[in-house]
Amino acid sequence: MQRFDCLAKELPLFGPHFLEASAGTGKTFAIEQIFARLLLSDIPIEEILIVTFTRAATRELKFRVRSNLEKIGSNEKLAQALRAFDRNQIYTIHGFCFRMLKEFAFEIELPLSMKEASGSKKLDAALRDFFEMKLKPDIISAEQLEVLLRSYSVEELAQKLKKGEVREAKTYVELEAAFKQEMRDLDLDKLRADFTALKDSYRKKEGNFDAQLRALAAKEFAPLISEKGSIFSLFSPENKKVRTKEISHLYYPDLYDWGQTVLVPLIESALEESLPALISAWKPIEKQILLEEGAFGPDALLEWMEEAIKKETFRKKVQKKYRAVLIDEFQDTDPVQWNIFQTLFINAETLYLIGDPKQSIYRFRKADLYTYLRAKEAISPEGHFYLDTNFRSSKELIGALNRLFDRNWLELPKENKSLPYLPVRAGIDLSSQFPDEKGAIHCVISENEALYSYVAREILHLKKHVASFSSFAILVKDRFQAAKMEETLTAVGIPNIARSHELLTESLAFVAIEELFEALEDPRNLGQAKKVAAGPFGALDLFTLREILEQKGLAAMCAKLPNIGPEAHQVFELLFEWERKNGFSYQGIDRFFRASRTMDPDAAERLFKESDLDAVQIMTMHVSKGLEFDIVFALGVSERTPPADVEVEAEKERLLYVAMTRAKRRLYLPIPIQKKGVAVGRLSPIEIFCNRLGLWEEELEKMGLEVSLTIERVVDPIVIEEKREEIKNEEALVLKIPSFSPSYLLSFTALAQESTQLSLEPMEEPNGIYTIHNLPRGAETGIVIHSIFERVFSKEPFLDLIPNSLLSWKEAIINMVETVLDLPLPMGFSLRDIDSKEARTEVEFLFETAPNYIMGFIDLIFVHQNTLYFVDWKTNWLGKDEASYSPQNLEASMKDHQYHLQASIYREALSRSWPGAIGGGLYFFVRGAKVVLVEH
């Protein structure tokens, strides 16, 4: 295998290439350069095909390829390619198949109206029927479904079924039969006696243990599934207390050891298999519906493509279309996909198969590592290349990883051999040194419960030595470990966000918001109202919300909605943009949702969870593939999983490799407390690695003398006494999305850090004298005063706005209004001189100041002598008499509450739509009948 240098003049650019790219070795950079060199070699942009295996990778490749062309594009050929970049051929495998089938539909007699499966209402209805009527107990038991619904809502489960791929799954009937075959005869009273004798020797755990004892005695499988077999976790060796009393007699002394070995795998299998079993039952129904609608799901696309390439006319059309083909992430290929690529492109003028077998971790998606190896054999050895320089990590970290990995450990069970590991070199000058003297790889020997608080403490200690919180990543096994980590970080004030690769249109927030607008269009439609009532917006009054929407606009309505998460924020950002371009109408909003659902999947918006918020990133090890962070906590590698076949165990090793190669400066590697010589079985990825190679604490300590590797034992959870403050407002400004929650709204309120300090002088008690100076303070008073002035300038009566609690101040309020209207203004007139036709109240604005949006309401704007002014009513209490409202006190209040900032925001908003002169802002302190003019 030869070293590959994409910039070398002597590189054989054309012909077949099999390129192995270890983690961090610049695979995407190589693709960018190959693409540019092909263009310079007179291959047009539309004749270069790049295929990758995820939408996120497709989007990144398009961005990176274009950016590289812009950077080096002084050449006319590259400049021409940039002008024609919208004709680029960069797709996912499914996107490529769909486009070829549609473009050459005539050759294979497909309907020209064929479409990809997306947003089918018929499919949604069929899913509801499936859950209600077509679930057979022999496929999945009620208890399995109950456990699933503890983890997912029905809507989330529906999305899992839509996106899931069929794989062989054990039915409940099969699992129950295996359980009954293994079960012993057990007496309930004796089981209870043993339980009572044992329980004080083990740490407490949650669970209905008596129900499980009854299930064991009756040989019933279902209750053990419902309780997730927690009785065996209770009596597991790792849950045993250090000091315990000796137990003289047990009726079933080996029961729980036997249960761990025999029953727990069956229980865990029932939990693991429930979702695949559901998917297998659902997919035939889905396929039939999609066929009726002329749509193709992912599997159907590949099936049609495999059939299509058998036809010579179709095959030749596709082959003629492309002179150069680059297939990225090739280790994720399955036999069907390789058959398509091989049939079409094995003899292409230029072919690159680019991947890393050590990162083949998507077996559950049918990725087949042995297909990758067979493809390697299809290309002659002269075409085998590899990238050998890591441009991600520090020299110390690469040295430690090479020392750990340079051995036969990545097994290929079917071929009874191992994948070779080729050591890599460091390509960048980066340090792994921090003041705490820990190594580039820091092994933490601990039980999992202690790890969560340990991670939080380490983040707090290291934060000042990295650029931001987003420099940290925590890699977890699943959503349960992610939730626990999120809870721990939040408790000590560390900002965090869970990262996902889901499409925005597949999120629950998107569905909920779409249903909300359908209901707002016709609030009397009980069917639509019930849908909303069952979702996160269920507590809202649809009629009131519709009135706000139609009178004050989308931004005002959004401010009334509860915060249901970051995905919803992004949906509303897109809605704001749509409204700005197209205006508001229910028909337009309906078009927005339909357009979003039918958008090219490769270009579709993704979840906000992939944003650049300054927050610790929490993600599964699978999601982390392709990403990099300064400091990585690979928590998921120490999570144990049920025993599986040898191929699944081998994939755990590759998942370990992926997790351990994400860090740039430091990797925290948790290792469960374990003795040598434990048999491979129900082990975590790191245990499989350490156990197979004999790399336990003693050996790791010796290795630490040679490379940058250190060890620490953590026995108990760490108490973090000082709680950090939450992110400050200035940090929150990196939000790209204008939130619809008042607590996050990018408005003056969100931007200003208002003083919360109240005057030390208490307000006078009325004592029968009700003046504007002792008018009660608080939000209610402020709202009333604002509403009154709104009525005044719309020439409507306002006395009915005064609530019972303020009726005693009725005369004082009337006098205040009259005084404010007659107050001489610095410009030589009063508010009473204003023509009401030239005034507008409660003026809404929304404008962009990239990358953010700012929205709000201005109390009053008016035009006088061709000059625009804006007004803000202030009910601030500065003291008990008019003397308290001196110019000095007024200016101090303006500064304390950052009203000058507010004025600049209002001025900017108005200047974007008002072509004439803007005279300034008038801040009326109505209690003291004073006004401050802000001119600039």
Side-chain angles (χ1 to χ4, degrees), residues 101-102 105 109-115 294 296 304:
L101 291 170
K102 193 167 181 71
E109 299 177 352
L110 274 177
L112 295 175
S113 60
M114 64 173 285
K115 59 186 179 182
F296 292 96
W304 273 97

Side-chain angles (χ1 to χ4, degrees), residues 868-886:
L868 180 71
Y869 298 88
F870 58 90
V871 170
D872 208 87
W873 312 113
K874 297 301 179 188
T875 56
N876 307 41
W877 186 80
L878 304 185
K880 60 183 179 179
D881 51 33
E882 289 188 23
S884 303
Y885 293 81
S886 64

